[in-house]
Amino acid sequence: MSDDVIMVGGGVIGLTTALTLAERGLRVRVWSRDAVTGTTSAVAGALWWPYRIEPAHEVAGWSLESLRVYEKLAGDAAATGVRIVAGVHADMVLGDLGDWAREVPGLRQLASAEVPGPYGTGLAARLPLIDMPVHLAWLCGRLEAAGVVVERRTVTGFAEAARAARVVVNCTGPAAGELVPDARMRPVRGQLVVVENPGIAEWFTAADAASSETTYFFPQPGRLILGGTAQEDDERPDPDPADAAAIVARCARVRPEIADARVLGHRVGLRPARSGGVRIAAEPLAGGGRLVHNYGHGGAGVTVAWGCALRAAELAVG
């Protein structure tokens, strides 16, 4: 075997976990069905926040571990794609969050008059906002420097990977439903609209976890990302014009200038949700190898990527 680890999956979870393992001295190869730029991660918003992800008692630690990494990466935003940006989470009360919220610097309750749009409550925060194309390219550069090869390869099971390495790590996201197989996996369709930024510098979210409609906008370099949807068990790959119009209208209720912003494009991605939450676990493979699972991160893969990578790495080397 020429490799210690075969990483199956080339989204942000797979790349981050591969880098964590490589930096521990393991020989890692990444097999990805899609080009990195074609993964769901590449079209993510992507604001650090534990959104639509379970189990809560584990997510808190994973999220905070990742937050600390992103705060450091923000020191070189041009290279890493990570910036610390101010914004507002509407329809949130600080006291309703877990103890983890006390460790988020600057998170505070707003007076109702300070909350934009038709909302009466909200929180102010300065959080990592990640430009995903830049961040994924940075991860690939770090992997290349560590000697990790990322290659396009479709697998139909883990036996093939087990013949190439003693440890196989499954970070296949939505595909885990068929590959594992795991009947708890379900797609949650997210649609975004990309527009010219009319001068908005702060992010905004109003995201009811029980609703299929969300409202948010994220200022990324050269564009403004508008969202969104959270449509469970919906695998439509193409943008829906009605969804797009509704997204723009919801965002314009918060910032009216968005209504006239020129549309640059549309994005659709399937979030890898899992009833029961993220699965990070190890099991034996035939021939004495080990299969480590790290999937089911829903809409918060970026938020927990580094914390989950550390946990998966512990299982891989243990």
Side-chain angles (χ1 to χ4, degrees):
M1 295 182 179
S2 60
D3 301 298
D4 296 319
V5 179
I6 294 293
M7 174 67 57
V8 185
V12 69
I13 295 295
L15 297 183
T16 303
T17 306
L19 182 57
T20 301
L21 289 164
E23 291 185 339
R24 293 189 175 197
L26 279 75
R27 297 167 299 174
V28 182
R29 182 177 298 267
V30 177
W31 290 355
S32 180
R33 181 190 63 190
D34 303 310
V36 171
T37 54
T39 62
T40 296
S41 299
V43 302
L47 181 73
W48 180 93
W49 192 257
Y51 165 72
R52 286 182 180 252
I53 183 171
E54 297 288 342
H57 66 283
E58 296 274 19
V59 166
W62 297 334
S63 299
L64 291 172
E65 286 174 319
S66 301
L67 175 60
R68 296 180 191 111
V69 174
Y70 290 130
E71 288 172 336
K72 293 177 182 177
L73 295 181
D76 190 4
T80 66
V82 181
R83 296 173 295 131
I84 304 299
V85 181
V88 172
H89 281 304
D91 273 351
M92 282 193 189
V93 177
L94 191 57
D96 291 343
L97 303 179
D99 291 343
W100 62 268
R102 301 194 192 106
E103 299 188 46
V104 180
L107 187 63
R108 64 181 180 87
Q109 191 73 51
L110 292 172
S112 58
E114 297 178 275
V115 183
Y119 304 97
T121 60
L123 305 176
R126 289 178 55 83
L127 300 176
L129 181 62
I130 298 105
D131 185 346
M132 288 307 294
V134 174
H135 188 62
L136 292 171
W138 175 81
L139 283 169
C140 287
R142 288 283 299 274
L143 287 168
E144 183 179 3
V148 177
V149 174
V150 179
E151 61 184 59
R152 295 281 298 277
R153 188 160 179 166
T154 299
V155 302
T156 56
F158 299 112
E160 178 184 357
R163 290 191 290 270
R166 61 181 179 83
V167 176
V168 178
V169 183
N170 167 29
C171 294
T172 55
E178 294 183 3
L179 280 172
V180 172
D182 188 338
R184 293 187 176 190
M185 290 295 296
R186 61 190 311 181
V188 177
R189 181 179 180 274
Q191 180 168 326
L192 309 176
V193 182
V194 184
V195 302
E196 284 187 344
N197 192 338
I200 294 171
E202 297 192 349
W203 53 265
F204 174 89
T205 79
D208 181 352
S211 174
S212 63
E213 295 183 348
T214 57
T215 301
Y216 56 84
F217 46 82
F218 301 143
Q220 296 284 14
R223 64 204 188 279
L224 186 67
I225 309 296
L226 312 180
T229 65
Q231 298 158 326
E232 296 183 353
D233 300 316
D234 186 338
E235 298 187 59
R236 290 176 296 151
D238 298 320
D240 183 314
D243 284 341
I247 287 168
V248 173
R250 290 196 299 273
C251 292
R253 283 198 289 270
V254 182
R255 293 293 295 261
E257 62 267 43
I258 288 175
D260 298 320
R262 185 168 72 93
V263 175
L264 301 177
H266 302 269
R267 298 177 179 176
V268 174
L270 301 181
R271 302 182 182 102
R274 181 177 184 269
S275 61
V278 176
R279 185 185 181 199
I280 303 181
E283 62 182 82
L285 283 169
R290 180 182 301 133
L291 174 61
V292 177
H293 298 289
N294 183 9
Y295 67 88
H297 304 83
V302 171
T303 298
V304 298
W306 293 93
C308 288
L310 289 171
R311 177 60 182 144
E314 290 170 357
L315 295 177
V317 300

